[in-house]
Amino acid sequence: MKIIGLTFVVLFNFFFQSTLPSETSNQIIQTSKDEKEVSDEVLLNTTRKLTQKIENKLQEEKNIDISAIGISYQIKEIRIRVNGNQQYLNKIEKDIKEIANELAQETIFKDYSVAVNLQIPSSANKIKTNVNSLEKSLLEIGYKEVNKALQESNDYFKRDITLPTQLPPVTFTHNFGRLNHSFGKENDEFEIAYMNDHVGQNHYQIRVRPVQYKLEISDEKIDHTIKLKDGSAAIYSTKLPLDVLVFEKDKWQYTLLVDKRISNTVTKEVLVDIANSINEK
């Protein structure tokens, strides 16, 4: 795929159960009642294997320019986005559906429908031309300058998102923002990704969504419930592929995510301090 250095984002979303679809950078993953009998590990592995097989076959046999492949468990749908125009989509849509359906027959997703759509281009793609591969890959999937993405999100939600003023005590070479709103308002979410092009483990992310569409973390994956300065509760978990702190403030749900490889530096206490820095005078 063209999505580089964002595996941690994909893995995060898988382990949260929502009653509605949830988009990720590479996979659109969501749990329905039918899949709750299947372990998280099985679902994750099956999803990743199937999406990779579909991508490989479409690119190797048909040379199709794939933007993203995902699975929505709730509505039983395999979603595939392609780069190009409507004429290109009309030409390749049948082949895509046939290949995806054929490969899905070997999995627990054999009864899922297949939806094919165009990837909405980001204006950032046209603005920057001299960027390194990491920047290029992020711009291609809709990331842009944080301030621009934040303003776009404020306008979209019709109210302001307040960000933490504190950052983890590690170095980052890049930070980009994005408004995710491709699959209905239940998936609407603002995110910022911080990363280091030279130190792979320096990954940190903030995700913000309205509380009415908040994601729930299952009880067995909660390590601690922590009281923040404003009296609200935050949930901390190390039982996911990423360490996370989840809390609510001003009718937003915030999720802070950090790569486990820097958990000795970006500790629970650090994440709590970051959470407390929102609206801090």
Side-chain angles (χ1 to χ4, degrees):
M1 292 288 284
K2 298 178 180 178
I3 302 167
I4 300 173
L6 293 178
T7 304
F8 75 112
V9 178
V10 177
L11 293 177
F12 152 68
N13 266 318
F14 175 80
F15 286 90
F16 283 82
Q17 293 183 354
S18 170
T19 58
L20 295 163
S22 174
E23 182 185 5
T24 68
S25 298
N26 184 28
Q27 296 174 337
I28 305 145
I29 300 175
Q30 166 193 345
T31 305
S32 71
K33 291 181 180 179
D34 293 340
E35 278 74 28
K36 286 181 180 177
E37 300 302 320
V38 181
S39 71
D40 287 346
E41 183 178 1
V42 171
L43 277 176
L44 177 59
N45 288 336
T46 307
T47 299
R48 294 178 67 180
K49 287 178 182 178
L50 177 58
T51 55
Q52 190 62 59
K53 284 183 179 179
I54 293 173
E55 179 194 355
N56 290 343
K57 190 162 186 176
L58 289 174
Q59 290 182 341
E60 293 170 5
E61 295 188 8
K62 301 294 181 178
N63 195 29
I64 293 175
D65 189 4
I66 299 297
S67 170
I69 301 176
I71 296 177
S72 172
Y73 302 153
Q74 185 72 20
I75 62 174
K76 295 185 178 296
E77 186 175 74
I78 299 169
R79 295 172 172 177
I80 302 172
R81 287 179 289 182
V82 299
N83 296 311
N85 54 32
Q86 188 61 47
Q87 184 178 2
Y88 176 65
L89 177 63
N90 293 340
K91 180 180 178 181
I92 63 176
E93 183 175 5
K94 182 179 178 181
D95 288 338
I96 292 175
K97 288 185 175 182
E98 287 179 352
I99 288 174
N101 278 316
E102 175 189 349
L103 294 175
Q105 295 309 304
E106 306 168 3
T107 73
I108 58 175
F109 307 124
K110 61 182 180 180
D111 296 323
Y112 281 37
S113 60
V114 178
V116 184
N117 296 286
L118 288 174
Q119 171 69 20
I120 299 173
S122 168
S123 59
N125 293 359
K126 303 173 184 178
I127 297 172
K128 289 195 175 185
T129 54
N130 257 343
V131 294
N132 65 26
S133 60
L134 175 60
E135 290 179 87
K136 185 173 185 293
S137 66
L138 291 169
L139 295 174
E140 285 178 346
I141 58 174
Y143 284 92
K144 58 187 67 177
E145 293 178 13
V146 171
N147 288 338
K148 291 182 179 180
L150 180 60
Q151 186 58 57
E152 181 181 339
S153 299
N154 290 341
D155 294 342
Y156 180 81
F157 289 115
K158 295 182 173 57
R159 59 191 182 98
D160 289 349
I161 297 172
T162 303
L163 296 176
T165 58
Q166 184 170 322
L167 285 172
V170 294
T171 59
F172 302 109
T173 59
H174 296 80
N175 63 83
F176 288 92
R178 182 171 71 166
L179 169 64
N180 295 319
H181 60 96
S182 298
F183 296 100
K185 63 175 59 179
E186 63 273 6
N187 301 304
D188 292 348
E189 183 177 66
F190 169 68
E191 64 172 290
I192 305 177
Y194 296 84
M195 57 201 70
N196 191 309
D197 202 10
H198 312 296
V199 185
Q201 63 264 31
N202 285 14
H203 280 165
Y204 166 65
Q205 190 182 47
I206 302 171
R207 291 191 164 216
V208 187
R209 60 168 52 210
V211 293
Q212 62 262 44
Y213 301 118
K214 66 181 180 181
L215 299 171
E216 301 289 348
I217 184 169
S218 55
D219 291 341
E220 65 271 15
K221 293 185 173 68
I222 297 175
D223 288 283
H224 303 284
T225 299
I226 303 153
K227 188 175 182 179
L228 299 179
K229 280 184 179 180
D230 63 2
S232 63
I235 291 171
Y236 178 70
S237 175
T238 62
K239 298 174 181 176
L240 308 174
L242 301 168
D243 289 351
V244 300
L245 186 78
V246 184
F247 59 96
E248 296 176 19
K249 188 180 288 285
D250 299 329
K251 297 183 180 180
W252 298 110
Q253 182 192 54
Y254 291 79
T255 303
L256 311 181
L257 307 93
V258 65
D259 194 302
K260 287 184 179 296
R261 292 172 292 177
I262 55 173
S263 60
N264 288 337
T265 302
V266 188
T267 61
K268 173 186 66 178
E269 290 74 22
V270 169
L271 292 177
V272 169
D273 286 344
I274 293 173
N276 283 326
S277 73
I278 298 178
N279 293 325
E280 192 173 55
K281 303 297 183 183

